[in-house]
Amino acid sequence: MPRRRRWTDPLVISVNALGLTQITAWGTSYYCLGVLAKPIGADTGWSTGTIFLGFSVALVVMGLISTWVGRLIDRAGARTVMSIGTIIVSSGLLALSQVHAVATYIAVWAMIGIGMRCCLYDAAFAALVQVVPSRGRAAISYLTLYGAYASTIFWVIGHYLNDAYGWRNTLLIFAAVNLVVCLPLNWLGLTWRETTVAPAADVKASATPDSAPALEGRLRVIGIALFALIMSLNGFVFGVVSLQLVPLLEAAGLAGAVAVWVASLKGHGQFAGRLVEIFFARNLKAMTVARIAIGVLPAALVLLMLAHGELVLLVAFTVLLGASQGVITIVRGAVPLALFGTKGYGAVLGLIATPILLVNAFSPTVFALIVEQIGWQNAFNALLVCAILSWLAIELMSRPLSL
């Protein structure tokens, strides 16, 4: 394809535009407490639990409105919804920089939750399917490459800004960045759409084996429910393990600094997993990729159980954990596209996201209660059971649905 044609391709334009907005939006909102929670607590005197309660409220709000937002994306278009979501996130970050009372703090996080649901991955996946419906899976895969380092990049930026200007001014800067970077890119990057018939070269380059008819009727309902259950079980494990990764590595025998270094490899694992999916799994069905990615998680947890302080095994566990999580992010958008097609895709993602977001909101608290009741080792065994159940469920699901 001539260079000029390539750079005017809606897939290239939308993926690169949304790639930049996703790094920025995730880093400034979803991940901001990773570096700002401690200074917020030091300034306000609030407990860490109170500070993260705000974030949990945001996730609950995201879950409660998820289906509605998905339907709105189908009706009004992802371009409009994502742009409005960016404005809400920016306004929320501005308000968060000014809070002095806990009640206001919680309310503002609820507002940010509305914005995040409108402009993060689920909305972005639907946007790409609207822009390039014949190449949706490829576009989703490329987009997730950008997001692999969102936390890493913005934890560094946030740490520097907090040291230089304080947490309140850091949030003001984050609010401005959303308006200056994300808003125009969301609006302009989703302006172009592919033609009804994609160029032959493009179709060949981006073709996937997911060509079965979309599920309809009862099978569609069952498929949505099963996939939501599988992703929720998987999300519970990742929600706990990701949050507890450094303590897990320390409990496995690593010293503090080494544990932090090994934990940082998770982002590299995510990026590597997504690269492998793009370049080596393009000829596999989306369900096959899902089975592999979900099957890697219990294997990784077994490595952690067997490590006993062995650095090589703990590095392997962390990289595999990241790779699994990185590919499952793609799976979350690609499998529904393969199973249910482009019609009502935003609403389908919204339905599936509802239990996942609610599980993510409550998983740390639920796991802490489990630890209190049955001890850390038994609680970890429960995580392994959840991972195995998720893997068995995706294996069973793939057969009757013939995917």
Side-chain angles (χ1 to χ4, degrees):
M1 175 182 287
R3 181 174 298 178
R4 181 182 176 187
R5 180 68 169 279
R6 173 63 66 187
W7 285 102
T8 57
D9 184 348
L11 184 147
V12 175
I13 294 170
S14 59
V15 166
N16 283 291
L18 291 187
L20 294 173
T21 68
Q22 290 302 292
I23 287 177
T24 306
W26 279 92
T28 57
S29 59
Y30 195 96
Y31 291 122
C32 73
L33 288 183
V35 291
L36 297 183
K38 188 174 181 179
I40 290 173
D43 180 47
T44 60
W46 301 337
S47 68
T48 301
T50 297
I51 292 167
F52 280 98
L53 176 62
F55 179 70
S56 295
V57 167
L59 292 181
V60 170
V61 170
M62 290 174 72
L64 293 176
I65 67 170
S66 183
T67 302
W68 177 80
V69 171
R71 291 172 180 163
L72 183 63
I73 287 171
D74 288 334
R75 291 198 303 268
R79 180 191 186 202
T80 299
V81 173
M82 290 189 71
S83 298
I84 292 172
T86 297
I87 294 172
I88 295 172
V89 167
S90 181
S91 301
L93 293 172
L94 173 62
L96 196 63
S97 72
Q98 305 302 312
V99 297
H100 294 277
V102 171
T104 308
Y105 174 81
I106 300 298
V108 170
W109 267 111
M111 174 185 176
I112 294 173
I114 295 172
M116 289 194 297
R117 177 57 187 90
C118 292
C119 68
L120 295 185
Y121 267 152
D122 289 310
F125 291 164
L128 292 175
V129 170
Q130 289 180 354
V131 170
V132 284
S134 71
R135 296 174 287 170
R137 175 177 164 183
I140 289 169
S141 297
Y142 290 131
L143 176 64
T144 59
L145 282 178
Y146 276 93
Y149 291 108
S151 60
T152 303
I153 291 171
F154 272 88
W155 282 345
V156 173
I157 293 173
H159 180 76
Y160 168 78
L161 290 176
N162 176 67
D163 284 347
Y165 307 108
W167 70 271
R168 294 185 185 276
N169 287 326
T170 297
L171 288 172
L172 284 175
I173 293 170
F174 282 175
V177 167
N178 274 273
L179 285 181
V180 173
V181 175
C182 296
L183 183 57
L185 285 176
N186 280 334
W187 185 257
L188 297 175
L190 298 174
T191 301
W192 292 269
R193 304 289 176 95
E194 71 178 359
T195 55
T196 304
V197 179
D202 284 356
V203 171
K204 183 177 180 181
S206 61
T208 70
D210 296 308
S211 56
L215 296 179
E216 299 290 348
R218 181 169 170 268
L219 270 181
R220 183 182 179 91
V221 174
I222 293 172
I224 291 173
L226 282 176
F227 191 67
L229 174 62
I230 291 165
M231 290 292 98
S232 297
L233 281 171
N234 198 267
F236 177 79
V237 178
F238 277 121
V240 171
V241 174
S242 295
L243 189 66
Q244 301 279 353
L245 187 53
V246 173
L248 272 172
L249 292 170
E250 289 176 337
L254 295 183
V258 178
V260 171
W261 171 76
V262 173
S264 71
L265 298 178
K266 179 170 168 285
H268 299 299
Q270 286 182 312
F271 187 79
R274 290 167 183 173
L275 277 180
V276 169
E277 195 280 335
I278 288 172
F279 291 107
F280 298 102
R282 65 171 61 189
N283 294 322
L284 297 177
K285 292 181 179 181
M287 184 61 79
T288 302
V289 175
R291 291 163 61 193
I292 295 169
I294 292 173
V296 165
L297 181 57
L301 293 175
V302 169
L303 280 180
L304 177 62
M305 293 178 68
L306 299 176
H308 301 299
E310 289 289 335
L311 181 61
V312 173
L313 290 179
L314 292 172
V315 167
F317 153 72
T318 305
V319 172
L320 283 175
L321 178 75
S324 176
Q325 189 170 20
V327 176
I328 287 171
T329 301
I330 298 172
V331 162
R332 185 168 157 181
V335 168
L337 183 60
L339 288 174
F340 314 117
T342 58
K343 184 180 179 181
Y345 180 69
V348 169
L349 286 189
L351 280 169
I352 292 169
T354 296
I356 298 171
L357 290 166
L358 293 175
V359 166
N360 286 342
F362 295 110
S363 58
T365 302
V366 171
F367 185 73
L369 291 174
I370 293 173
V371 171
E372 288 179 4
Q373 295 298 316
I374 62 176
W376 171 254
Q377 185 58 50
N378 288 328
F380 180 80
N381 291 337
L383 284 182
L384 181 59
V385 168
C386 284
I388 293 172
L389 287 175
S390 178
W391 172 56
L392 291 176
I394 198 74
E395 289 294 323
L396 292 172
M397 180 182 178
S398 67
R399 283 159 174 72
L401 296 178
S402 301
L403 289 172

